[in-house]
Amino acid sequence: MKLRPLQDRVLIRPVEPEARTSGGIIIPDTAQEKPMEGEVVAAGPGARDANGALHALEVRAGDRVLFGKWSGSEVKLDDATLMIMKESDIMGVVERAATKSKAAKAA
């Protein structure tokens, strides 16, 4: 089944946060009370202003985003648990840094 979000809503597949730091320290569940991370599966066309002009969303399918723990609503589609929320509930887009080998090739 496919779901197409309307207006400024975004469909997100939650991603479990890393339970271990890069130094190898295991983070207990109680210390992981932080914004959730997820991947945008689908996004609506955007919101309309008072004049009827369409304002496109800043996030697109495939973006990794951070959102609050209690943001949005859970939706079950084809045995997968997804989140649907307004774009304004998203705190930011996670941009992964390029690896050293990619950076060296670009230079």
Side-chain angles (χ1 to χ4, degrees):
M1 178 186 323
K2 291 187 87 171
L3 177 68
R4 182 176 51 93
L6 299 177
Q7 298 176 354
D8 62 340
R9 288 183 175 76
V10 180
L11 189 64
I12 297 174
R13 177 180 299 115
V15 176
E16 292 297 320
E18 290 283 331
R20 195 177 284 247
T21 65
S22 59
I25 299 171
I26 297 174
I27 303 170
D29 291 338
T30 56
Q32 291 183 3
E33 293 291 327
K34 60 182 181 181
M36 303 288 289
E37 187 174 342
E39 179 182 350
V40 175
V41 176
R48 295 202 181 270
D49 63 12
N51 298 328
L54 183 66
H55 296 278
L57 300 181
E58 292 186 40
V59 295
R60 303 205 180 340
D63 284 349
R64 291 285 281 241
V65 296
L66 293 178
F67 55 91
K69 185 160 182 73
W70 305 111
S71 298
S73 300
E74 279 192 5
V75 180
K76 280 231 181 221
L77 291 175
D78 299 331
D79 298 328
T81 302
L82 303 172
M83 301 288 296
I84 190 162
M85 65 185 68
K86 288 187 168 260
E87 184 187 38
S88 60
D89 290 339
I90 296 173
M91 292 187 256
V93 177
V94 177
E95 295 179 2
R96 303 283 181 207
T99 61
K100 288 183 182 180
S101 61
K102 287 183 181 178
K105 290 178 184 177

